[in-house]
């Protein structure tokens, strides 16, 4: 993300189905297993809108960790398979950029925080929800199926509003 190209994108509300993980930072290994399991179960979702793009929706609503939804965007007709849940994402405006293979994820998010601070936007937060991460309390990521799990590349979608 050396040159940090980004765009501001408005995305209509959508429905997603997948698995939820709610845990502390110390249990982050469990999250990797949830993401892997969701990837393996993707075929159960025939109504996937972008079949090769797995979503990682993170919400920093815990002081010791976060809530993560490993999902796929799906059609309204898609039934919810056993053990999965559905989540509706409202229409939002996003700061969209790419995390490149070989780059440091922490550094990528730091640069996004800096760019937002210097812009006319700030991170969006849901009404009546307490967050424990100030700069980027909600992080949406889109992972291509062909990613390298040890050194992934992916799209970052940060919900934003005007300051």
């Amino acid at each position: 993300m050396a040159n940090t190209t980004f765009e501001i994108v408005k995305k209509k509300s959508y429905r997603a189905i997948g698995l939820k993980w709610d845990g502390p930072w110390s249990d982050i290994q469990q999250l990797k297993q949830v993401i892997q399991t969701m990837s393996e179960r993707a075929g159960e979702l025939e109504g996937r809108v972008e079949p090769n793009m797995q979503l990682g929706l993170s919400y920093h609503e815990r002081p010791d960790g976060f809530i993560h939804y490993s999902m796929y965007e799906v059609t309204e007709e898609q039934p919810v398979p056993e053990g999965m849940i559905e989540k509706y994402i409202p229409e939002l405006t996003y700061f969209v950029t790419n995390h490149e293979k070989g780059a440091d994820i922490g550094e990528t998010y730091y640069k996004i925080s800096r760019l937002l601070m210097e812009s006319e936007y700030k991170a969006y937060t849901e009404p009546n929800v307490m967050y424990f991460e100030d700069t980027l309390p909600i992080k949406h990521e889109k992972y291509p199926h062909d990613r390298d799990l040890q050194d992934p590349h992916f799209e970052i979608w940060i919900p934003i509003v005007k300051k």
Side-chain angles (χ1 to χ4, degrees):
M1 198 161 132
N3 59 354
T4 316
T5 55
F6 68 90
E7 57 185 331
I8 303 299
V9 177
K10 183 176 248 183
K11 180 167 173 55
K12 291 199 175 306
S13 62
Y14 66 93
R15 178 176 180 240
I17 292 178
L19 302 172
K20 177 181 178 180
W21 178 83
D22 182 345
W25 293 107
S26 57
D27 289 346
I28 204 80
Q29 285 306 117
Q30 288 176 5
L31 172 59
K32 291 179 179 174
Q33 185 56 53
V34 168
I35 293 168
Q36 180 61 37
T37 300
M38 188 62 237
S39 187
E40 291 164 4
R41 291 187 64 187
E44 295 176 44
L45 301 173
E46 292 174 16
R48 282 175 291 162
V49 174
E50 288 183 277
N52 295 320
M53 276 294 190
Q54 187 170 349
L55 304 175
L57 313 176
S58 296
Y59 297 81
H60 294 267
E61 297 175 36
R62 313 173 44 125
D64 64 340
F66 60 104
I67 299 169
H68 182 92
Y69 299 89
S70 183
M71 304 186 131
Y72 285 86
E73 182 176 345
V74 294
T75 60
E76 278 302 318
E77 299 75 31
Q78 172 66 53
V80 180
E82 183 75 33
M84 291 190 198
I85 61 166
E86 67 181 338
K87 183 168 179 62
Y88 283 89
I89 310 302
E91 177 173 295
L92 293 168
T93 300
Y94 293 89
F95 175 100
V96 181
T97 190
N98 287 303
H99 172 73
E100 303 297 341
K101 190 173 173 54
D104 178 86
I105 294 171
E107 182 68 15
T108 298
Y109 275 113
Y110 174 75
K111 288 178 179 176
I112 293 169
S113 297
R114 294 298 309 233
L115 283 166
L116 280 179
M117 277 191 264
E118 297 161 8
S119 78
E120 61 187 299
Y121 296 98
K122 65 178 182 175
Y124 164 83
T125 53
E126 296 168 295
N128 306 315
V129 176
M130 171 93 173
Y131 293 96
F132 293 91
E133 153 76 57
D134 292 344
T135 52
L136 302 171
I138 301 173
K139 300 176 182 81
H140 290 182
E141 298 172 343
K142 293 173 82 170
Y143 311 103
H145 269 211
D146 64 356
R147 71 191 180 278
D148 176 341
L149 295 176
Q150 302 310 312
D151 185 11
H153 64 286
F154 52 91
E155 291 176 24
I156 296 173
W157 292 62
I158 302 294
I160 55 173
V161 292
K162 291 241 179 185
K163 285 182 182 162

